[in-house]
Amino acid sequence: MIPPDLLQCPTMTDLPCPCDPARRYADCCGPLHAGAAAANADALMRSRYSAYVMGLEDYLLSSWHSSARPQPPLLEPGAKLKWLRLKVIGHRVIDDDHAEVEFQARCLENGARRDLHERSRFVREDSQWFYVDGVIG
């Protein structure tokens, strides 16, 4: 997690958000990384992508539903992985507490380009959204 005070730092307030360079990190994923609740599954998915880019393993684990949360370490130390972009294809609300987000993410892994296409499932419990799982395809 990122301390909320850090979001007020002049260098942080103007940084582009990893999930969408047209948005400012302090106005997009930053507050979620500092502990604010995601408004919807799309916002949580974007914040999780940004957390992968920034190496925020604690945030990734805490935003994963307890029924499916993996054991750490989630991010491999020294992995040669660089996330390049995120494209949200769709956000489907199933009901008040369930949603799906389909996205494509591009990265470089050991210098080779890789595209990830996933349909992620999310659940809301006690006003908090959580990532459950995803189908890669």
Side-chain angles (χ1 to χ4, degrees), residues 34-48:
N40 54 44
D42 179 74
L44 182 64
M45 190 279 306
R46 288 176 174 281
S47 72
R48 286 178 53 82

Side-chain angles (χ1 to χ4, degrees), residues 96-108:
D96 288 347
D97 296 320
H98 297 87
E100 291 181 346
V101 179
E102 184 178 359
F103 69 91
Q104 291 178 327
R106 177 168 289 165
C107 68
L108 288 177

Side-chain angles (χ1 to χ4, degrees), residues 17-21 45-56 60 74-76 79-87 103-118 136:
C17 195
C19 80
D20 181 350
M45 190 279 306
R46 288 176 174 281
S47 72
R48 286 178 53 82
Y49 171 83
S50 292
Y52 273 105
V53 171
M54 299 172 73
L56 303 177
L60 291 166
L74 184 62
L75 304 175
E76 293 182 39
K80 296 192 179 202
L81 184 67
K82 180 180 180 182
W83 293 100
L84 302 174
R85 72 169 175 87
L86 172 69
K87 178 182 178 185
F103 69 91
Q104 291 178 327
R106 177 168 289 165
C107 68
L108 288 177
E109 186 172 23
N110 295 317
R113 189 179 104 184
R114 183 171 159 229
D115 290 318
L116 170 71
H117 179 205
E118 181 174 320
I136 297 173

